[in-house]
Amino acid sequence: MEYAILFLPLLGALTGYYGKFLGSLFSEIITTLLVSLSAILSIIVFYEGWQYNYYENHLIFEWISSGNFKANWSINFDPLTSVMFVTVTSISALVHVYSIGYMKQDPHKPRFMSYLSLFTFSMLVLVSSDNFLQLFFGWEGVGLCSYLLIGFWFKRNSANNAAIKAFIVNRVGDFGLALGIFLIFFHLGTINFNEVFELIPNVSKKEIVFLGLELNLVTLICVSLFVGSMGKSAQFLLHTWLPDAMEGPTPVSALIHAATMVTAGVFLVVRCSPIFEYSEFAMGLVAIIGMLTAVFAASVALVQNDIKKIIAYSTCSQLGYMFFAAGLGAYKAAIFHLFTHAFFKALLFLGAGSVIHSFQDEQDIRNMGGVWKKLPYTWIFMIIGTLALTGFPFLAGFYSKETIIELAFLKHSMIGNSAVIVGIFTAFLTAIYSWRLIFKTFHGNYLNSSIDMKKIHDSSFVMLIPLLVLAVGSIFTGILFKNLFVGNASGMFWENSIFSLSEENTNHYIPLWLLILTPSLVIISIPLAYYLFIKEKTFLQNCVEKFKPGYNFLLNKWYIDEIYEFLLVNPTKKLGLFFWKKGDENTIDRFGPNGISKIIKNISEKAVKFQTGYIYDYAFVMLIGLSALITYLIIS
């Protein structure tokens, strides 16, 4: 079954693309059917692994064998892989179903469905790898698919620019990952996970000279791997591609943000926990970047007006939670939040897609409002997704987010205490901007002057079914899986797939104030958001006018893009322009092909003047030629 889980999406991608000759409907059905079958099989093997402890490394073939270097193509099926299989295939299957309705009018549906399936296959290759080379193959595969899907509507310049930006920013992170893999192979002589993890304790104190600095080998490896994770999972400083990725169709946003590309970085850190555990500096760096990302993205989301970008920054913020949990050694909590987050984030994105679909591609929440009765199903599903995201009591996000905050508290360290403060503050910001989205989109007055409100209607049945399934997941995955992922049963379930030098202890005393503080802030935020964004808008407008610089700071995303434009983009453009004009055109082209062709042209223009039609002109030319030949023979 493991082979079928991996290769059914690939078969769907190939069949769907070439099935365009049989019609769009065939491509839609075959890709959706094969990915759905992969999801069903994933659930079955997850259950078998959980109940019967059935885990095994399934060899597909020996990929590379050169001297001591060996790399297999395998399906390394363990608890971590089984969880990622369920997450990736389940969300992907629902996105495929949703896309049948959402992309109904698009003439290139077969290509779109094929790209979705290829994206799923690439992510499955990544999470099922048993060595760094196979992981890197899947890593680059999801990068390629993200480029193809973000730029799917390639006739839009904005889509092309967003795709290129995502590709380039991820190359920065990928360079870090590649460097980490090179260091591992050079110093340990292998890239197979199990062998690397066994050798790491032996080199934990080893120092090497890198760029003239004496650094700890394990720390350098961990930092390099984390730079790769920062790029894929859009952590602070390498996050700039994520909001622009909203240029792709909404189902793409749901797949990227919920189950595939952005979760790859979290998976890498957790998979490499036997390496990170031996570097205190790297663990601290992961935690600090995660905390910074959580606050940054949540603060920016407060003032965004594009419905998809608000949810995109929410993803960025929630990934920050996962990373600072991993940086504190709470790997199980990080994966638990990744698992629950997949359901409510996919629900929010697909719900936003339903709203956009109803508003004829309008994405600005300032041009919406007052349509909750027109979109009742979408409204209730997005309410559920928002409650889960904000950590409303007893929904999925509540259990995973509270677990992270509680485990951070139990660390009793400066970074742990900082994580608690950041986690609670970010949860409050998340609640504010999430309810802002709900109230401005569905409540208040109808503000769209270009679309008659009578034309607003809910989405088709094929688009609402995935929302219903995701809503059920957003409600129940937390309570159903908490004990298995982070509770008393977690030690037996995770076995050796997650390593920690200091095992998480959930039996310590958690003060009552910590248990009730975050849920209380989440509940209070609902009437507060209603007051600010519906009841008394003038109060907020006055605050914006009074603190205009701060508002512009958030609206312009902390000016990170502008800083990069000034420090990197513009100097690079000027340097390229200089080499193009001064180097290519004025030097190489001028004295090279253009210069030679110009000389030949001038000679030709002079020579053609002798062709007058008079015999004495031809005799004169022949005489000159004969003289030149005789002179040459005499000299030589």
Side-chain angles (χ1 to χ4, degrees):
M1 283 193 291
E2 290 80 0
Y3 296 98
I5 294 170
L6 181 62
F7 289 109
L8 282 174
L10 177 61
L11 179 61
L14 296 173
T15 308
Y17 186 78
Y18 291 105
K20 63 185 178 181
F21 303 108
L22 300 175
S24 297
L25 184 60
F26 174 81
S27 297
E28 292 169 349
I29 292 175
I30 197 69
T31 52
T32 303
L33 185 63
L34 291 176
V35 172
S36 299
L37 182 58
S38 180
I40 294 169
L41 294 176
S42 295
I43 295 171
I44 292 173
V45 297
F46 169 78
Y47 180 79
E48 289 181 348
W50 170 24
Q51 291 296 316
Y52 308 113
N53 198 32
Y54 175 71
Y55 298 110
E56 190 177 354
N57 191 324
H58 303 272
L59 177 65
I60 299 176
F61 58 83
E62 190 177 77
W63 192 7
I64 298 175
S65 179
S66 177
N68 294 327
F69 179 76
K70 295 186 184 298
N72 296 327
W73 188 300
S74 303
I75 301 177
N76 181 31
F77 188 71
D78 67 353
L80 181 57
T81 299
S82 70
V83 171
M84 295 303 296
F85 268 18
V86 171
T87 306
V88 173
T89 56
S90 299
I91 301 302
S92 179
L94 294 171
V95 168
H96 274 73
V97 174
Y98 181 89
S99 299
I100 294 175
Y102 190 86
M103 303 294 288
K104 185 177 181 180
Q105 305 300 326
D106 197 285
H108 305 292
K109 284 182 290 183
R111 179 165 59 90
F112 180 76
M113 302 300 285
S114 175
Y115 287 168
L116 287 182
S117 293
L118 185 61
F119 206 164
T120 306
F121 167 73
S122 299
M123 188 64 186
L124 293 177
V125 169
L126 192 159
V127 300
S128 64
S129 57
D130 75 342
N131 62 78
F132 283 100
L133 185 62
Q134 183 182 334
L135 180 141
F136 192 75
F137 177 84
W139 193 271
E140 294 302 302
V142 294
L144 170 64
C145 292
S146 69
Y147 171 80
L148 296 174
L149 285 166
I150 293 169
F152 179 76
W153 287 321
F154 55 84
K155 292 184 179 179
R156 299 180 183 175
N157 286 332
S158 57
N160 286 326
N161 293 336
I164 293 171
K165 185 176 184 180
F167 198 78
I168 291 175
V169 173
N170 273 276
R171 293 292 70 72
V172 176
D174 293 353
F175 177 78
L177 175 61
L179 178 61
I181 296 173
F182 294 151
L183 287 168
I184 288 170
F185 178 71
F186 184 79
H187 290 280
L188 301 181
T190 181
I191 57 169
N192 296 315
F193 288 150
N194 291 337
E195 296 173 2
V196 170
F197 298 159
E198 288 177 3
L199 293 172
I200 282 294
N202 300 330
V203 297
S204 60
K205 304 296 184 182
K206 184 176 181 179
E207 302 287 324
I208 65 169
V209 177
F210 181 77
L211 299 178
L213 301 174
E214 189 173 345
L215 302 171
N216 179 267
L217 173 62
V218 175
T219 296
L220 185 57
I221 290 172
C222 290
V223 171
S224 299
L225 295 177
F226 180 57
V227 170
S229 298
M230 287 175 64
K232 274 289 181 287
S233 294
Q235 293 301 281
F236 187 67
L237 297 181
L238 292 181
H239 68 278
T240 53
W241 67 269
L242 193 63
D244 292 2
M246 298 302 100
E247 287 293 334
T250 301
V252 175
S253 305
L255 191 58
I256 290 177
H257 287 247
T260 53
M261 187 166 170
V262 298
T263 62
V266 179
F267 169 82
L268 176 62
V269 172
V270 175
R271 173 62 79 196
C272 295
S273 56
I275 305 177
F276 279 85
E277 281 292 305
Y278 288 94
S279 175
E280 185 178 349
F281 175 84
M283 293 284 282
L285 178 65
V286 173
I288 290 170
I289 294 295
M291 287 186 283
L292 188 57
T293 304
V295 173
F296 158 75
S299 65
V300 171
L302 285 171
V303 298
Q304 298 302 305
N305 296 308
D306 186 307
I307 188 171
K308 287 173 65 177
K309 286 190 176 183
I310 295 171
I311 304 174
Y313 278 110
S314 169
T315 299
C316 200
S317 181
Q318 297 305 306
L319 288 165
Y321 270 97
M322 299 174 206
F323 273 107
F324 76 65
L328 293 170
Y331 304 105
K332 300 172 187 177
I335 293 297
F336 184 36
H337 194 49
L338 183 154
F339 182 71
T340 60
H341 174 264
F343 289 92
F344 54 74
K345 188 49 57 71
L347 176 59
L348 286 170
F349 264 115
L350 297 186
S354 181
V355 172
I356 295 167
H357 194 70
S358 300
F359 275 92
Q360 301 175 21
D361 297 329
E362 175 61 68
Q363 295 184 197
D364 195 327
I365 60 175
R366 293 171 297 183
N367 296 326
M368 300 177 184
V371 295
W372 72 273
K373 291 183 179 179
K374 289 286 186 178
L375 307 172
Y377 298 113
T378 300
W379 174 70
I380 191 63
F381 289 143
M382 288 201 70
I383 290 287
I384 293 172
T386 298
L387 290 171
L389 169 64
T390 58
F392 194 84
F394 311 117
L395 272 72
F398 167 76
Y399 291 99
S400 57
K401 196 176 292 187
E402 285 299 304
T403 299
I404 291 175
I405 294 174
E406 290 171 9
L407 291 176
F409 176 81
L410 292 175
K411 289 296 177 181
H412 300 297
S413 63
M414 185 175 71
I415 291 183
N417 293 335
S418 301
V420 172
I421 296 171
V422 167
I424 294 172
F425 180 62
T426 303
F428 178 68
L429 294 182
T430 302
I432 294 295
Y433 70 68
S434 297
W435 287 108
R436 172 179 177 262
L437 185 151
I438 292 294
F439 289 134
K440 291 183 77 68
T441 301
F442 294 101
H443 297 272
N445 298 321
Y446 183 74
L447 301 174
N448 196 305
S449 57
S450 59
I451 303 173
D452 190 345
M453 189 175 182
K454 295 178 181 178
K455 295 182 180 180
I456 302 294
H457 59 83
D458 225 326
S459 298
S460 61
F461 194 57
V462 73
M463 292 173 64
L464 292 176
I465 290 177
L467 295 180
L468 175 61
V469 177
L470 290 168
V472 173
S474 300
I475 296 171
F476 295 110
T477 51
I479 193 170
L480 291 177
F481 290 96
K482 180 181 179 181
N483 187 55
L484 181 67
F485 281 16
V486 294
N488 295 328
S490 62
M492 185 178 297
F493 173 70
W494 292 112
E495 289 189 316
N496 297 323
S497 61
I498 292 179
F499 175 79
S500 179
L501 290 174
S502 56
E503 186 62 30
E504 299 160 14
N505 191 338
T506 58
N507 295 321
H508 285 159
Y509 172 74
I510 304 294
L512 180 62
W513 66 266
L514 185 61
L515 294 174
I516 65 173
L517 179 57
T518 306
S520 299
L521 290 174
V522 167
I523 294 171
I524 291 171
S525 69
I526 301 175
L528 178 61
Y530 179 79
Y531 175 81
L532 292 175
F533 304 115
I534 298 295
K535 191 72 174 176
E536 196 62 49
K537 295 181 180 180
T538 55
F539 174 77
L540 198 60
Q541 292 169 355
N542 292 335
C543 290
V544 168
E545 291 298 325
K546 190 173 182 180
F547 301 101
K548 196 70 173 180
Y551 174 79
N552 289 333
F553 179 72
L554 297 180
L555 188 64
N556 289 283
K557 301 158 286 189
W558 291 24
Y559 295 103
I560 301 296
D561 282 282
E562 287 76 8
I563 292 172
Y564 283 164
E565 190 83 14
F566 177 75
L567 294 179
L568 299 174
V569 178
N570 287 338
T572 303
K573 284 182 177 179
K574 290 178 180 177
L575 186 63
L577 191 63
F578 171 79
F579 282 119
W580 173 32
K581 292 294 185 183
K582 301 295 184 182
D584 280 1
E585 290 190 351
N586 294 341
T587 304
I588 297 174
D589 289 347
R590 181 182 177 186
F591 297 105
N594 292 347
I596 294 172
S597 63
K598 188 176 181 180
I599 292 171
I600 293 173
K601 182 181 177 183
N602 291 335
I603 294 173
S604 300
E605 289 175 349
K606 299 293 183 183
V608 77
K609 293 180 179 180
F610 290 103
Q611 299 188 23
T612 61
Y614 296 106
I615 192 168
Y616 54 80
D617 285 331
Y618 295 127
F620 178 69
V621 173
M622 292 171 64
L623 183 61
I624 292 175
L626 181 61
S627 301
L629 179 62
I630 293 172
T631 303
Y632 172 76
L633 292 173
I634 292 173
I635 293 174
S636 60

